[in-house]
Amino acid sequence: SAVISQKPSRDICQRGTSLTIQCQVDSQVTMMFWYRQQPGQSLTLIATANQGSEATYESGFVIDKFPISRPNLTFSTLTVSNMSPEDSSIYLCSATAGTGGLGEQFFGPGTRLTVL
Amino acid sequence: SQKIEQNSEALNIQEGKTATLTCNYTNYSPAYLQWYRQDPGRGPVFLLLIRENEKEKRKERLKVTFDTTLKQSLFHITASQPADSATYLCALDRLYNQGGKLIFGQGTELSVKP
């Protein structure tokens, strides 16, 4: 199994600013992902964080808005840029250790972001 | 595109009874399906994975069935306890058997009363 921590756990930010969320895994994992969970909604995949290369974004999400880094096998960051109130959400990091990325995913506790 | 539907209405049951949650999907034939539990303010926690060639899987008080003809999975909690109260999410592999990307249902909230 893998234990995932995220920082910060919550933040309140002003419109137009950026916030970087950190995700740390206690062991090396094959795949890392970033999800968004808006109030009362399910999880929506933002992107796959690729180690040593550019992240792979899902439809509706772009690198300029959500730049992602993954410098090694245990750490990733997600930046929410030029924030607006519509970005208020919970952002979750996940990881999977299975072969080819298959199998159970471990999730961090989430970062609750409020944009004023 | 793939679509997953779970009962949007909360499920309220009495302690000791069996809770049954439903997950239906369309426009897709997944290689596997997963169930997660999410408590308020926390990230989802993995419970069970069932593959397309498996009809049923059990883990302690949990049982999952997978009917690829009906495009449906049922998740059962037997002898339910108040501690089982949470939101339960089903998820499918977004790309057939590749890369671990998941698409989630909206979840069903379960409340077990003592």
Side-chain angles (χ1 to χ4, degrees), chain A residues 31 33 35 37 40-45 48 56-59 90 92 96 100-110 112, chain B residues 6 32 34 36 38 40-46 49 51 89-90 93-95 97-107:
Chain A
M31 309 286 286
F33 305 94
Y35 289 84
Q37 187 172 29
Q41 303 292 315
S42 190
L43 286 76
T44 300
L45 181 63
T48 304
T56 305
Y57 291 84
E58 299 301 312
S59 175
I90 298 172
L92 293 142
T96 179
L102 301 179
E104 65 179 288
Q105 288 194 16
F106 304 94
F107 283 83
R112 182 179 294 272
Chain B
Q6 295 184 251
Y32 58 88
Q34 302 185 26
Y36 288 79
Q38 187 172 25
R42 297 183 173 235
V45 174
F46 172 81
L49 179 153
R51 299 189 183 277
L89 305 167
C90 74
D93 54 321
R94 194 180 183 93
L95 296 171
N97 221 20
Q98 296 177 42
K101 296 182 182 183
L102 297 177
I103 179 170
F104 282 85
Q106 75 273 31

Side-chain angles (χ1 to χ4, degrees), chain A residues 57-88:
Chain A
Y57 291 84
E58 299 301 312
S59 175
F61 299 97
V62 295
I63 187 172
D64 290 344
K65 177 66 177 177
F66 297 102
I68 288 170
S69 78
R70 188 180 173 193
N72 56 51
L73 291 175
T74 64
F75 185 79
S76 177
T77 66
L78 167 75
T79 299
V80 187
S81 303
N82 189 25
M83 289 183 285
S84 66
E86 292 71 37
D87 295 320
S88 296

Side-chain angles (χ1 to χ4, degrees), chain B residues 7 21-22 38 40 50 54 68 71 74 80 88 94-95:
Chain B
N7 291 351
L21 287 70
T22 304
Q38 187 172 25
I50 187 165
E54 298 175 316
T68 55
K71 294 188 182 294
L74 298 178
S80 59
Y88 291 85
R94 194 180 183 93
L95 296 171

